Amino acid sequence: QVTLWLKKMYGNQPIPQYEVNARTVDILYELVECNEARDRDVSLLIEDMKQKAAEYEAEANYLQGLLAESLDLSLSSLSSEGTSYLNVLVNSAMTLETKDTSLASFFCAINDMTSELYATESENREMELELTNIRKKLTAALMLEKQLEGDLKKTEERLEVEKAKADSQSQNLKFLKDKSEDLKIRIKAAE
């Protein structure tokens, strides 16, 4: 099945070399299944589109016949202005995705779009508010970071000073110990 699918995919071109083992065959088999499922979905979608096109064409023919019979109107008998208005009406209905060109359908579609607009504007306001809050928090965090860096620098400077003092005291202590030892030795010598 995999080989047949590869031949179908590459047509007259040679199939590229690949390592034939259980793993690659399994992967290719999964690709075959996905590809065939996608092809089935696409063919169903095409059939659906064809059916809808046929339905729309039948409805258009019916409406054209209705106009011709009841009002003695045909598309060719309309003035250029009438044709222009009809095209605007059709384009508006398609843009608003209405099921027909009745006034009620237009109002419903406009109301739906207005609701979507208000919902989107509300979401945008919420996102702007959240963004403002995040900016404030980020600014505060950056200020805190700057303050912490300053504090760290001061602490490091103080640590250096304290370390120098400790070194000095350590040297003084060593000197005093050495002096004490020297004095002890002198005292013993003097005794």
Side-chain angles (χ1 to χ4, degrees), residues 71-102:
L71 300 175
D72 196 27
L73 283 176
S74 69
L75 203 55
S76 59
S77 70
L78 287 175
S79 66
S80 62
E81 190 176 355
T83 305
S84 170
Y85 288 146
L86 186 60
N87 285 334
V88 167
L89 183 65
V90 168
N91 289 335
S92 298
M94 290 177 70
T95 301
L96 293 172
E97 297 177 0
T98 61
K99 64 179 180 178
D100 56 29
T101 57
S102 69

Side-chain angles (χ1 to χ4, degrees), residues 42-180:
V42 167
S43 65
L44 288 173
L45 187 62
I46 290 170
E47 288 301 316
D48 186 50
M49 293 285 195
K50 284 179 182 177
Q51 183 181 353
K52 283 184 180 179
E55 288 172 6
Y56 287 141
E57 189 174 341
E59 188 175 344
N61 289 339
Y62 169 74
L63 292 174
Q64 195 171 12
L66 190 65
L67 284 174
E69 286 177 19
S70 61
L71 300 175
D72 196 27
L73 283 176
S74 69
L75 203 55
S76 59
S77 70
L78 287 175
S79 66
S80 62
E81 190 176 355
T83 305
S84 170
Y85 288 146
L86 186 60
N87 285 334
V88 167
L89 183 65
V90 168
N91 289 335
S92 298
M94 290 177 70
T95 301
L96 293 172
E97 297 177 0
T98 61
K99 64 179 180 178
D100 56 29
T101 57
S102 69
L103 200 53
S105 293
F106 277 110
F107 282 142
C108 288
I110 290 171
N111 283 337
D112 289 345
M113 290 186 94
T114 304
S115 296
E116 287 179 26
L117 176 66
Y118 287 142
T120 304
E121 286 175 349
S122 175
E123 287 177 18
N124 286 346
R125 280 192 296 274
E126 288 175 11
M127 289 175 78
E128 285 175 10
L129 184 61
E130 189 175 334
L131 184 61
T132 303
N133 290 336
I134 290 173
R135 281 186 184 145
K136 286 179 184 176
K137 288 178 182 177
L138 181 61
T139 303
L142 290 173
M143 297 283 285
L144 182 61
E145 181 184 20
K146 196 171 186 178
Q147 183 180 355
L148 288 172
E149 285 175 356
D151 291 347
L152 181 63
K153 187 175 179 183
K154 287 178 185 176
T155 304
E156 287 174 349
E157 289 171 358
R158 285 183 186 161
L159 187 62
E160 287 295 320
V161 169
E162 293 299 321
K163 186 177 178 186
K165 283 182 184 177
D167 287 345
S168 173
Q169 287 177 352
S170 175
Q171 287 175 356
N172 286 341
L173 183 62
K174 186 176 185 281
F175 173 76
L176 290 174
K177 279 184 178 179
D178 290 345
K179 192 70 171 175
S180 171

Side-chain angles (χ1 to χ4, degrees), residues 27-39:
I27 291 171
L28 286 172
Y29 184 74
E30 286 180 27
L31 282 174
V32 170
E33 288 181 335
C34 289
N35 188 277
E36 288 175 352
R38 189 194 66 202
D39 288 349

